Amino acid sequence: QVQLVESGGGLVQAGGSLRLSCVVSGAIRSINGMAWYRQAPGKQRELVAAITSGGSTNYADSVKGRFTISRDNAKNTVYLQMNSLKPEDTAVYYCNTPWINFSWGQGTQVTVSS
């Protein structure tokens, strides 16, 4: 069974950067797409960024131009580089496929102070 382990979150000031990692226990080479989601307190989980097996990417309008999703198939890892962070980016961040094929991991908390 595939397991997802997110890491890299933390507390950062507005304007700062963080790089999140998601290690997939199975080989992601065989997974067509991967995505990052986030859930802020009192809000629904939302898709932030997605990447196909071919490297095509899509982003939510709220993060476009600031976040970059990438994948390293050799390391079974998906990354989310987050720049120019804003307080509204504060949330727990999770990875999964765009179709939510796997059980959710524990997520990683990102807190952006103003």
Side-chain angles (χ1 to χ4, degrees):
Q1 184 171 349
V2 171
Q3 290 186 322
L4 308 170
V5 180
E6 301 92 348
S7 64
L11 173 64
V12 64
Q13 288 187 332
S17 299
L18 284 173
R19 188 195 194 200
L20 306 184
S21 299
C22 168
V23 178
V24 183
S25 63
I28 68 170
R29 185 178 296 103
S30 63
I31 301 173
N32 286 335
M34 289 296 297
W36 281 95
Y37 298 78
R38 67 186 180 188
Q39 187 167 20
K43 295 187 177 181
Q44 288 189 335
R45 195 168 300 184
E46 62 173 349
L47 190 148
V48 172
I51 186 168
T52 68
S53 58
S56 297
T57 58
N58 279 292
Y59 299 92
D61 288 343
S62 59
V63 306
K64 202 170 292 184
R66 300 188 297 121
F67 289 11
T68 303
I69 187 172
S70 61
R71 61 192 289 170
D72 186 333
N73 290 342
K75 295 183 178 180
N76 291 336
T77 303
V78 183
Y79 302 99
L80 186 68
Q81 177 66 43
M82 306 187 296
N83 299 328
S84 302
L85 283 161
K86 304 175 180 180
E88 50 263 44
D89 295 318
T90 295
V92 180
Y93 284 72
Y94 304 86
C95 65
N96 212 312
T97 72
W99 311 277
I100 311 179
N101 295 105
F102 307 126
S103 298
W104 294 101
Q106 83 288 350
T108 186
Q109 175 71 49
V110 172
T111 303
V112 184
S113 63
S114 57

